[in-house]
């Protein structure tokens, strides 16, 4: 949002929830705040917000985009918006004590196709200090990682419920960062050994459609078949 529309945009985080709760075909959804910059940080960007939504089928999503008053308001207020359609490839864990992708078909990824990654965790109160102290090295590595097209830190609650959404050129680039980047691999090992999370969810997606721009460009413009 622009500075002028940001206060009303902030208000929609609360006022739009009843409408979303009544939206047909919307099986799981979360309105999310974002951090400043491209990675997870303790700071908040009060001009940028996100919606993660799981739909029964594409027709329900199309009806929502074409006729929902929620979407109409967002478009009227927004200075910029980006919408990406995702089909799940692989996932595990829980979000709010449920599997948000339960029953979804698993897509097959073609060689060299782009990938979207969503990671989300509820951090135990006693582990908050260790978690946030460990974030800067893998966050810095993400910014310079080969193949990353766009990334943003997102969350339901400041500090305690954190997530990251990122778009990549290919699965090979994701694996190189996740498993062969020392700073990231070290943090992942510590989360297991020290039991940082009370709940976590991880998902890989195939991004098969995009509209709008993210920071002035479409990060998937060259990668979609």
């Amino acid at each position: 949002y622009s500075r002028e529309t940001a206060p009303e945009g902030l208000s929609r985080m609360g006022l739009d929830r009843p409408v979303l709760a009544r939206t047909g075909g919307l099986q799981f959804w979360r309105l999310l705040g974002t951090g400043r910059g491209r990675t997870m940080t303790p700071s908040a960007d009060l001009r940028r917000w996100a919606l993660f939504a799981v739909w029964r089928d594409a027709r329900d999503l199309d009806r929502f985009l074409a006729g929902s008053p929620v979407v109409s308001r967002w478009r009227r207020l927004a200075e910029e918006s980006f919408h990406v359609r995702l089909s799940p490839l692989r996932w595990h864990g829980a979000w709010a004590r449920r599997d948000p992708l339960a029953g979804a078909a698993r897509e097959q990824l073609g060689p060299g196709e782009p990938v979207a990654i969503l990671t989300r965790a509820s951090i135990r109160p006693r582990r908050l200090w260790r978690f946030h102290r460990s974030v800067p090295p893998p966050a810095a590595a993400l910014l310079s990682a080969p193949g990353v097209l766009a990334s943003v830190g997102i969350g339901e609650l400041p500090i305690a419920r954190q997530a990251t959404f990122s778009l990549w050129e290919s699965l090979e680039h994701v694996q190189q960062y996740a498993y062969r980047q020392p700073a990231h691999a070290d943090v992942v090992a510590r989360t297991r050994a020290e039991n940082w999370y009370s709940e976590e969810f991880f998902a890989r997606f195939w991004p098969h459609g995009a509209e709008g721009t993210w920071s002035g460009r479409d990060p998937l413009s060259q990668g979609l078949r």
Side-chain angles (χ1 to χ4, degrees):
Y1 300 115
S2 67
R3 292 185 182 275
E4 291 73 22
T5 61
E8 186 175 354
L10 172 60
S11 74
R12 302 321 312 176
M13 291 291 287
L15 297 175
D16 286 337
R17 292 175 184 273
V19 180
L20 291 170
R22 298 192 301 268
T23 298
L26 184 52
Q27 298 181 317
F28 181 91
W29 58 273
R30 285 294 184 273
L31 286 168
L32 302 163
T34 73
R36 295 175 185 169
R38 294 171 49 199
T39 61
M40 189 182 303
T41 67
S43 63
D45 186 344
L46 299 182
R47 293 174 53 190
R48 182 172 63 173
W49 304 92
L51 169 69
F52 175 69
V54 181
W55 296 89
R56 180 173 52 199
D57 58 42
R59 291 170 295 181
D60 292 315
L61 171 57
D62 290 337
R63 282 192 289 268
F64 173 74
L65 294 175
S68 172
V70 169
V71 176
S72 298
R73 281 190 291 267
W74 290 348
R75 287 173 174 163
R76 173 177 58 84
L77 296 170
E79 187 175 62
E80 181 183 57
S81 63
F82 183 72
H83 163 225
V84 58
R85 297 184 183 226
L86 307 168
S87 292
L89 300 165
R90 174 186 172 189
W91 71 93
H92 63 78
W95 192 331
R97 300 181 182 179
R98 58 178 287 196
D99 178 357
L101 298 173
R106 294 178 184 266
E107 188 65 54
Q108 296 297 315
L109 191 69
E113 289 192 301
V115 177
I117 302 293
L118 175 67
T119 62
R120 180 263 180 190
S122 293
I123 308 157
R124 298 182 188 277
R126 293 183 178 180
R127 299 292 185 263
L128 284 171
W129 182 80
R130 292 184 183 180
F131 173 83
H132 287 285
R133 189 181 180 187
S134 72
V135 165
L142 176 63
L143 293 177
S144 60
V148 63
L149 299 172
S151 61
V152 63
I154 53 180
E156 300 160 88
L157 290 175
I159 307 299
R161 294 182 186 173
Q162 296 290 302
T164 301
F165 179 76
S166 55
L167 297 170
W168 298 76
E169 290 181 13
S170 69
L171 181 58
E172 289 75 18
H173 287 103
V174 174
Q175 292 172 332
Q176 181 178 348
Y177 171 76
Y179 304 121
R180 295 191 289 275
Q181 212 296 322
H184 182 268
D186 176 66
V187 169
V188 171
R190 290 184 62 194
T191 64
R192 303 290 187 268
E194 301 175 21
N195 196 24
W196 287 0
Y197 304 147
S198 60
E199 182 180 68
E200 61 181 313
F201 179 74
F202 169 86
R204 291 177 185 169
F205 298 94
W206 169 46
H208 57 86
E211 302 169 17
T213 60
W214 183 341
S215 297
R217 66 186 183 92
D218 176 1
L220 292 168
S221 59
Q222 302 301 316
L224 294 178
R225 61 180 157 123

